[in-house]
Amino acid sequence: VGFSTALSQTPSISSISSEGREDLQVNRLETQIWIKPDIQKTDVDFSEILNAIQEIAKDVNIFFDELEGVNSPSKDDDSLLHHGNLTSTSDDASRLEVVGEEVPDKNKANGLYFRDGKCRIDYILVYRKSNPQTEKREVFERNIRAEGLQMEKESSLTNSDIIFVKLHAPWEVLGKYAELMNVRMPFRRKIYYLHRRYKFMNRIEKQISRFRGWLPRKPMKLDKETLPDLEENDCYTAPFSQQRIHHFIIHNKDTFFNNATRSRIVHHILQRVKYEEGKNKIGLNRLLSNGSYEAAFPLHEGSYRSKNSIRTHGAENHRHLLYECWASWGVWYKYQPLDLVRRYFGEKIGLYFAWLGWYTGMLFPAAFIGLFVFLYGVTTLNHCQVSKEVCQATDIIMCPICDKYCPFMRLSDSCVYAKVTHLFDNGATVFFAVFMAVWATVFLEFWKRRRAVIAYDWDLIDWEEEEEEIRPQFEAKYSKKERMNPISGKPEPYQAFADKCSRLIVSASGIFFMICVVIAAVFGIVIYRVVTVSTFAAFKWALIRNNSQVATTGTAVCINFCIIMLLNVLYEKVALFLTNLEQPRTESEWENSFTLKMFLFQFVNLNSSTFYIAFFLGRFTGHPGAYLRLINRWRLEECHPSGCLIDLCMQMGIIMVLKQTWNNFMELGYPLIQNWWTRRKLRQEYGTQRKTSFPQWEKDYNLQPMNAYGLFDEYLEMILQFGFTTIFVAAFPLAPLLALLNNIIEIRLDAYKFVTQWRRPLASRAKDIGIWYGILEGIGILSVITNAFVIAVTSDFIPRLVYAYKYGPCAGQGEAGQKCMVGYVNASLSVFLVSDFENRSEPTSNGSEFSGSPLKYCRYRDYRDPPHSPVPYGYTLQFWHVLAARLAFIIVFEHLVFCIKHLISYLIPDLPKDLRDRMRREKYLIQEMMYEAELERLQKERKERKKNGKSYHNEWP
């Protein structure tokens, strides 16, 4: 028993030189003395003796394994690959069975451990026995064993051709690679430093805290009393070091490294293990790409459901805890447990949910202001002079909006559309556009501060990404030409500058061509709108005939949405082809290039028709008698008599709702259907009871793997929504509210998908959201420009302002109230002589139904001279005043908003002051604690030497 205990407390022999190996064995035998008196003084329990013998058997075998592994070949040597026989079960498990070990039933039953019930499964590899890549797998697995990982194999219960390879990393391997990977681990609890405050401030804080005690508890906060597992150890951390292992807080070596860290260490090892002779034949990713292994993933920590309540019996595991306090629909209003998400899924996924939660929280003020603008339009609707005049203009007859089949119509027939337009285009619209431009800047600036706090709390401040491996495709393409890597000093494949430029030019040409395809699709939608307006105007149903323009817009938007979704599939394949054509050197370069292309494609695809409606619809149509036509055939579409803003609102509302609904279905509905179908087949073949008895690796294998592009789809969906929320928000103030409602659902959908429907992704680290932040900044700049043009060009804000100050009843008085808008509708309409119609555009009806006699004149939206003026249908002076005011507004609006944005960016520091002080103090305290711990260790060693009577040098201290 003493030998076993001493053996378990000594370091690995593989890390000691051959000269000191004999001394180490003697020291191990000397340390057995301290446990023997305990055995003599106490009553002997035979079960304890049996367990001790089993530990001896295990540790002695580990001892000899380490002795054999001292002279094992290095994995960096191409010629020294291991060629041994690989057993289907771990050696430790088979040896322990000899001495009659009792396997812990609980660990064995839950499918998270080896057959011995002690070695936790850290990683799973899956392959098929029928796969021809047998030799590569055998070499790979031998080298895995040489690295110190323990291995065990199991056949699938549903398919004997599928083999699961279970991997476990012992403590020695974890410690070695944690030190190489600079994994930060806790070593002291944090001591918070409180600033000295004046007595007056202390009194105020006491009164505030007393007042808060009377208020109800914040319902959004998670209940940490009933969920104690949410409490995190608030400790200082430092890079793990085996030499200073006594500094770290180690209560149990089995749980010191959490499961996410263990799987990350094992994945790090697998990425650096050779599988074949050759310089570049290394890594698990290559084996997955060539089909040697079918899947590789870490295990979920058991089931996410439990028969018992979490509040009475606690959480079964972290997955169950995440489901109850994060992925369940009942906690949709609560904050996210980001520390728990990070602990289970890693920092990269944790940062995504932190950003999504921050974005959703920042949408609350934007949604509130947008709703206020809409309600302001509702409350002022009855006082709007423009809509009153439109509704009362029964004597104003408008010209037809299409050729032949469209009839003359009264202006009062568009009363409903005029009122709806006022809901979105009112006096508060300009304020809201400025607010949203400033909001986008504040959102990004405060996200930088929030990210800094998260990076500090998650120990990401000093973390730097490792030197990335070169992509196998890049190596295969440019393996003949090499140059020295300036960082590692090793030769690596090199891509010539001319080759790189030529590939980039071809890729850019492909991007330009696909953008032209988008424009062609928009052109097709324009032709559809032009043709169907006349078709709907001649429709038999009166409802469609009387609302032909709205029916045209609605059907065009739905068709446009279908085209968008079809082109998205094509764009993904084109972006993948162009990115591979560029031959990026590393995975991060490939990911950034692919991300930029996909965003550009989908952004243009989603917003091209919106840009057409906002800035081109009804702008270049000509006038009655001289219409501009497509291919000299189709007359360009005109705006509704109430303006083009109603078309833009319909476009944004329908696309936004349909897009978000479709995305949510594809994110959750598709995996749910696939997993349901898999469970159904298993239930039919094996029954319900057998299905529940499947081990955890079998259950996880039947789940859906995470997307091949990682978090790309999640980020892309939110970034496109951010564009919809900011770019055309002046035309649709309810966009932030729709985005907020969607995001509240999106957070729980994504959480449910990660916890229940997907295999557990590898816990990877990241410092920020990557290239997406730059894209967000670009969208923020574009939103200022587009909102300026929407207010100046699309809405009637500027024409009304010019009329109020220059041509209305209050001209020259400096007022612009509703009383100053009297006569605006009549002033904004021009007169056309019906006899001047072209033959192909002359309507079939002569308008006799309005006055009993054929019409002589009709009105249209424009600022043109009457037909009997010296220059018939020429632009009036009011047109040039409006045009000048529009250009002036665009320039002033953009410069003002950009100045405010830059001022806010300058005034808001990226790092909060209190965080900066905490970081400085923590650095100081860490140095002090490390010094004190080292001093305590040296003093303790000195006392032990004195006590043992050994000679020592008079060293400090």
Side-chain angles (χ1 to χ4, degrees):
V1 175
F3 179 75
S4 172
T5 307
L7 189 62
S8 63
Q9 293 178 344
T10 51
S12 172
I13 289 187
S14 60
S15 61
I16 301 174
S17 61
S18 58
E19 290 86 5
R21 207 171 300 148
E22 296 180 359
D23 296 334
L24 177 62
Q25 296 177 24
V26 173
N27 291 334
R28 287 186 175 187
L29 293 174
E30 289 177 354
T31 55
Q32 68 178 335
I33 301 171
W34 67 274
I35 199 169
K36 287 184 178 179
D38 296 336
I39 298 177
Q40 295 172 358
K41 293 178 183 179
T42 58
D43 296 333
V44 178
D45 190 341
F46 289 100
S47 62
E48 294 180 0
I49 294 177
L50 180 60
N51 291 334
I53 293 173
Q54 294 165 1
E55 290 295 329
I56 292 174
K58 177 180 178 181
D59 292 331
V60 168
N61 281 297
I62 296 174
F63 175 75
F64 285 111
D65 284 344
E66 290 177 346
L67 284 176
E68 294 174 359
V70 172
N71 298 320
S72 61
S74 173
K75 68 182 180 65
D76 294 327
D77 190 355
D78 296 340
S79 61
L80 298 177
L81 295 176
H82 293 265
H83 302 285
N85 293 325
L86 190 64
T87 58
S88 61
T89 59
S90 65
D91 292 342
D92 296 333
S94 60
R95 290 168 184 150
L96 291 173
E97 288 174 1
V98 175
V99 295
E101 179 184 10
E102 293 183 13
V103 179
D105 294 334
K106 183 178 180 180
N107 290 347
K108 185 177 180 181
N110 60 19
L112 299 175
Y113 291 81
F114 279 16
R115 293 183 188 136
D116 59 4
K118 294 183 178 180
C119 298
R120 187 176 187 90
I121 300 173
D122 298 320
Y123 213 81
I124 291 289
L125 302 177
V126 185
Y127 69 89
R128 293 182 180 271
K129 289 191 292 186
S130 59
N131 190 286
Q133 307 281 354
T134 306
E135 185 177 353
K136 293 180 180 179
R137 281 198 308 271
E138 289 180 352
V139 175
F140 184 72
E141 291 170 4
R142 283 198 296 268
N143 287 312
I144 289 175
R145 297 293 299 272
E147 288 292 335
L149 296 181
Q150 297 177 9
M151 185 184 303
E152 191 174 83
K153 292 188 179 181
E154 292 276 355
S155 297
S156 173
L157 298 179
T158 60
N159 188 349
S160 59
D161 189 43
I162 297 176
I163 303 297
F164 295 98
V165 181
K166 300 177 287 185
L167 300 178
H168 167 75
W171 168 259
E172 292 79 10
V173 176
L174 292 173
K176 172 186 174 182
Y177 279 95
E179 186 171 357
L180 292 175
M181 296 169 62
N182 289 322
V183 177
R184 299 182 70 89
M185 301 304 294
F187 72 95
R188 287 290 186 276
R189 293 193 66 83
K190 285 187 177 180
I191 303 173
Y192 290 99
Y193 175 73
L194 300 177
H195 293 281
R196 185 177 179 181
R197 298 181 180 272
Y198 295 102
K199 293 182 178 179
F200 177 73
M201 296 299 296
N202 288 333
R203 290 175 183 174
I204 292 178
E205 288 183 355
K206 287 181 180 179
Q207 295 296 330
I208 292 175
S209 62
R210 184 180 300 175
F211 175 73
R212 286 178 178 174
W214 297 338
L215 298 175
R217 288 189 58 191
K218 292 183 178 179
M220 290 82 72
K221 285 190 174 181
L222 293 165
D223 191 358
K224 294 186 178 181
E225 295 179 358
T226 56
L227 301 176
D229 291 332
L230 290 178
E231 294 285 355
E232 290 287 329
N233 291 328
D234 204 4
C235 298
Y236 293 116
T237 60
F240 183 77
S241 172
Q242 289 181 315
Q243 293 181 350
R244 297 182 177 181
I245 195 171
H246 52 278
H247 292 173
F248 296 91
I249 303 174
I250 305 178
H251 301 298
N252 186 350
K253 289 185 176 181
D254 293 335
T255 59
F256 179 62
F257 296 104
N258 60 35
N259 295 330
T261 304
R262 294 174 68 99
S263 60
R264 185 157 57 91
I265 292 174
V266 172
H267 182 79
H268 177 88
I269 297 172
L270 297 179
Q271 291 296 92
R272 286 154 180 80
V273 172
K274 288 182 177 293
Y275 61 86
E276 199 175 36
E277 295 279 355
K279 179 176 56 178
N280 300 321
K281 307 297 185 180
I282 184 173
L284 175 63
N285 284 347
R286 290 177 173 85
L287 291 176
L288 288 171
S289 61
N290 64 26
S292 298
Y293 287 100
E294 189 171 297
F297 53 89
L299 285 180
H300 279 295
E301 298 179 9
S303 175
Y304 63 89
R305 294 185 183 275
S306 176
K307 298 179 181 178
N308 303 316
S309 172
I310 191 173
R311 298 187 177 277
T312 56
H313 293 74
E316 297 286 340
N317 49 65
H318 285 157
R319 189 187 185 193
H320 179 215
L321 183 61
L322 276 173
Y323 178 77
E324 292 290 340
C325 68
W326 183 48
S328 176
W329 293 106
V331 294
W332 64 269
Y333 58 93
K334 289 186 178 292
Y335 295 134
Q336 299 182 85
L338 293 177
D339 289 331
L340 190 59
V341 175
R342 171 242 183 174
R343 184 168 63 182
Y344 193 83
F345 291 110
E347 286 79 5
K348 193 170 185 178
I349 295 176
L351 269 174
Y352 163 71
F353 282 102
W355 176 84
L356 181 56
W358 183 257
Y359 171 45
T360 304
M362 289 293 290
L363 279 173
F364 273 96
F368 176 78
I369 300 297
L371 184 61
F372 170 78
V373 171
F374 179 77
L375 294 178
Y376 173 80
V378 173
T379 55
T380 59
L381 184 60
N382 295 329
H383 306 286
C384 178
Q385 181 64 31
V386 176
S387 59
K388 281 183 181 179
E389 292 186 0
V390 171
C391 294
Q392 296 171 0
T394 56
D395 56 338
I396 298 179
I397 307 302
M398 301 298 294
C399 298
I401 59 175
C402 68
D403 292 337
K404 292 186 178 181
Y405 299 107
C406 292
F408 294 97
M409 59 179 294
R410 287 189 175 93
L411 180 60
S412 59
D413 293 341
S414 61
C415 175
V416 175
Y417 303 114
K419 291 182 177 181
V420 172
T421 301
H422 177 74
L423 299 179
F424 302 102
D425 185 13
N426 51 63
T429 303
V430 177
F431 159 74
F432 186 59
V434 175
F435 170 81
M436 287 303 297
V438 174
W439 173 86
T441 303
V442 171
F443 162 66
L444 293 177
E445 292 300 321
F446 275 94
W447 163 248
K448 285 195 284 189
R449 294 166 62 88
R450 174 63 176 160
R451 188 206 63 82
V453 174
I454 292 175
Y456 169 78
D457 291 337
W458 292 356
D459 294 322
L460 298 172
I461 293 292
D462 300 324
W463 179 76
E464 295 293 339
E465 291 191 34
E466 302 175 358
E467 177 68 15
E468 285 192 88
E469 296 181 0
I470 299 175
R471 296 178 66 243
Q473 296 85 346
F474 185 88
E475 288 178 342
K477 181 70 176 179
Y478 301 103
S479 58
K480 295 181 180 179
K481 184 180 292 187
E482 293 183 346
R483 73 171 181 179
M484 198 68 66
N485 187 310
I487 298 175
S488 63
K490 297 179 180 179
E492 66 178 18
Y494 168 68
Q495 183 181 15
F497 179 76
D499 181 75
K500 187 174 184 178
C501 287
S502 61
R503 290 178 178 274
L504 288 176
I505 291 173
V506 173
S507 178
S509 302
I511 294 173
F512 178 75
F513 173 76
M514 293 309 299
I515 292 176
C516 292
V517 172
V518 176
I519 297 174
V522 174
F523 185 75
I525 294 295
V526 171
I527 294 177
Y528 168 82
R529 295 172 69 104
V530 169
V531 172
T532 51
V533 166
S534 301
T535 305
F536 285 145
F539 213 73
K540 294 181 180 180
W541 295 350
L543 179 64
I544 296 179
R545 185 173 61 251
N546 296 333
N547 300 277
S548 60
Q549 197 163 13
V550 176
T552 300
T553 302
T555 55
V557 171
C558 294
I559 293 174
N560 183 35
F561 173 75
C562 296
I563 293 175
I564 287 172
M565 302 311 296
L566 290 176
L567 287 179
N568 282 345
V569 178
L570 175 64
Y571 291 153
E572 181 176 348
K573 298 183 181 300
V574 173
L576 193 62
F577 172 77
L578 293 178
T579 306
N580 290 330
L581 181 67
E582 291 177 7
Q583 290 290 351
R585 178 178 169 273
T586 61
E587 288 294 336
S588 63
E589 292 178 5
W590 187 95
E591 184 178 343
N592 289 339
S593 177
F594 179 76
T595 298
L596 194 59
K597 290 182 182 63
M598 279 297 294
F599 169 76
L600 187 61
F601 286 158
Q602 295 216 19
F603 180 81
V604 174
N605 187 28
L606 192 64
N607 293 284
S608 55
S609 57
T610 311
F611 270 89
Y612 164 74
I613 293 175
F615 305 128
F616 297 99
L617 179 62
R619 309 295 168 203
F620 310 101
T621 58
H623 62 88
Y627 287 117
L628 297 178
R629 298 180 180 273
L630 284 174
I631 323 176
N632 199 26
R633 180 179 179 182
W634 292 298
R635 170 182 161 184
L636 289 174
E637 186 182 6
E638 292 186 40
C639 291
H640 198 271
S642 299
C644 294
L645 200 66
I646 188 67
D647 295 323
L648 184 58
C649 291
M650 288 182 62
Q651 173 80 13
M652 290 192 62
I654 294 175
I655 291 292
M656 195 169 185
V657 171
L658 290 179
K659 186 78 165 61
Q660 292 181 160
T661 304
W662 175 259
N663 286 339
N664 289 337
F665 170 75
M666 290 302 295
E667 281 188 9
L668 184 63
Y670 184 66
L672 272 174
I673 292 173
Q674 285 188 316
N675 291 333
W676 170 82
W677 184 254
T678 302
R679 290 194 301 269
R680 182 175 178 274
K681 290 195 299 183
L682 293 176
R683 197 181 300 115
Q684 289 177 349
E685 294 181 9
Y686 301 98
T688 307
Q689 295 181 352
R690 182 69 183 273
K691 169 67 174 63
T692 57
S693 64
F694 284 166
Q696 189 63 43
W697 56 82
E698 192 96 34
K699 295 177 182 177
D700 286 5
Y701 178 70
N702 290 326
L703 295 177
Q704 297 302 309
M706 190 177 176
N707 292 334
Y709 310 127
L711 293 169
F712 170 79
D713 290 336
E714 279 72 22
Y715 273 117
L716 180 63
E717 178 187 355
M718 289 296 104
I719 299 299
L720 291 175
Q721 184 207 80
F722 179 80
F724 252 91
T725 306
T726 54
I727 291 178
F728 293 104
V729 73
F732 191 57
L734 293 179
L737 180 62
L738 293 179
L740 174 63
L741 297 176
N742 175 79
N743 286 7
I744 292 175
I745 300 174
E746 181 74 23
I747 290 176
R748 305 305 161 181
L749 277 180
D750 285 347
Y752 185 83
K753 177 178 61 180
F754 272 93
V755 174
T756 67
Q757 301 301 310
W758 278 1
R759 296 173 190 163
R760 185 176 183 176
L762 180 70
S764 54
R765 309 198 79 186
K767 294 183 68 172
D768 49 33
I769 61 176
I771 194 175
W772 297 109
Y773 185 84
I775 293 176
L776 286 171
E777 286 187 325
I779 292 176
I781 295 172
L782 180 62
S783 67
V784 177
I785 302 172
T786 53
N787 282 304
F789 275 89
V790 166
I791 296 172
V793 178
T794 310
S795 74
D796 289 338
F797 175 77
I798 298 300
R800 293 174 187 175
L801 212 59
V802 171
Y803 177 81
Y805 284 103
K806 184 67 177 176
Y807 297 96
C810 305
Q813 300 179 12
E815 297 182 9
Q818 290 297 327
K819 63 179 181 179
C820 301
M821 299 302 298
V822 176
Y824 167 75
V825 173
N826 186 59
S828 64
L829 299 176
S830 299
V831 180
F832 178 73
L833 187 63
V834 174
S835 59
D836 291 342
F837 267 121
E838 300 172 307
N839 291 330
R840 53 181 171 177
S841 60
E842 186 175 359
T844 55
S845 64
N846 57 7
S848 58
E849 64 271 16
F850 297 105
S851 60
S853 59
L855 286 176
K856 292 183 179 180
Y857 300 97
C858 63
R859 309 292 292 271
Y860 61 98
R861 283 174 55 92
D862 210 342
Y863 297 100
R864 292 182 180 272
D865 291 324
H868 303 297
S869 62
V871 183
Y873 308 117
Y875 287 117
T876 62
L877 183 61
Q878 188 175 356
F879 169 82
W880 300 108
H881 285 164
V882 171
L883 180 62
R886 282 172 167 167
L887 295 177
F889 175 83
I890 291 172
I891 295 173
V892 172
F893 182 89
E894 288 181 356
H895 283 71
L896 176 64
V897 174
F898 278 130
C899 287
I900 295 175
K901 286 170 66 72
H902 285 93
L903 181 63
I904 292 174
S905 301
Y906 175 76
L907 293 178
I908 300 177
D910 295 344
L911 204 64
K913 184 179 182 301
D914 60 337
L915 178 60
R916 189 182 298 111
D917 295 340
R918 284 167 59 191
M919 291 171 61
R920 291 175 179 172
R921 178 158 182 80
E922 178 174 337
K923 185 176 180 181
Y924 168 76
L925 289 176
I926 287 176
Q927 292 176 351
E928 291 291 320
M929 289 177 182
M930 297 291 279
Y931 167 77
E932 291 175 0
E934 194 67 22
L935 183 63
E936 182 181 352
R937 184 182 67 83
L938 292 175
Q939 288 176 346
K940 187 176 181 181
E941 289 181 357
R942 187 176 183 181
K943 289 180 182 179
E944 289 179 355
R945 289 177 181 177
K946 277 185 178 181
K947 185 177 179 180
N948 295 333
K950 294 184 179 181
S951 60
Y952 60 90
H953 300 289
N954 294 323
E955 75 279 1
W956 182 87

